[in-house]
Amino acid sequence: MSARRRTPARRSPARRSPSRRAPSRRRGKRQGQSPAVLAVGVLLLLWMVGQLLDLVAANRWIVLLVLLLAVAGGVLRYRHRADRLRREQESARALRYAVEQLDRLHHRAFEHAVRDLMFRDGCADAVQVGGAGDHGADVKATDPYGRRWVIQCKHRKAGSAGAPVGTPDLHVLNGTGRPVHHGDVVVLVTNGRFSRPALEFARTQRLHLVDRATLSAWAGGGRPLWELLRAVPPPRGPRQSTGPSPSPTPLA
């Protein structure tokens, strides 16, 4: 019996992969259409602008109406800001802190409390700036007489029983309060006490110190700080308002 010869299997012709040139042609066609679409868009925009100018030229009362609406909007915005400032100041005037309440605060919250007291006294731009790179200033404010206040805060958890604030802290404040922060009144506020050398240094350098007793009178009463301190620089000008400011932060 003769062996059958196995005929080699015919290989089916390889399928041709779809040509990649077609997408390239389509992509080129799309790219060719982009400048045309852009040109049509520009022409349409120019036509719309021309139509708008023709409309304004034929109806000049539209320009007057727009100007009147802009002026009315500005007046309403100004009145809204003024009313908000008035309400904030009326609310702030009732702000009072007991010194024992200030003792329980975190040092950052103590800075915010000092800011709120300055705002209560009419410093509408009072802001807390203490933190890394503050250059010795924790609170800045402009009083109603135009004087710029630069305040450093030193909080003592133990109050007057804590370590007294010494001259090193005053050296930093004295070196930056006027040259860097351009302060007219440079102040250090603490709920504790000051060392004797600190008191003498502050006197010779025209620095104002607010110790626990002064802070208690300021925070618990209604008199502004400049009425409680001695030798405060004279006003720069008549009493004025410095614009709206965020409402005082309530303490827990």
Side-chain angles (χ1 to χ4, degrees), residues 40-55:
V40 172
V42 171
L43 291 175
L44 180 60
L45 179 61
L46 292 176
W47 178 82
M48 293 176 64
V49 171
Q51 293 295 316
L52 180 61
L53 293 176
D54 292 340
L55 179 63

Side-chain angles (χ1 to χ4, degrees), residues 183-244:
D184 299 309
V185 190
V186 183
V187 186
L188 198 151
V189 177
T190 182
N191 62 324
R193 56 195 174 94
F194 294 95
S195 66
R196 288 183 178 274
L199 293 172
E200 180 61 24
F201 181 80
R203 186 184 64 80
T204 60
Q205 300 299 316
R206 297 184 295 114
L207 301 176
H208 297 273
L209 303 183
V210 177
D211 59 8
R212 185 177 183 83
T214 307
L215 176 63
S216 179
W218 179 36
R223 298 176 63 189
L225 185 57
W226 46 87
E227 293 184 4
L228 300 173
L229 297 178
R230 297 179 180 179
V232 175
R236 283 181 172 269
R239 185 179 178 87
Q240 56 187 349
S241 175
T242 55

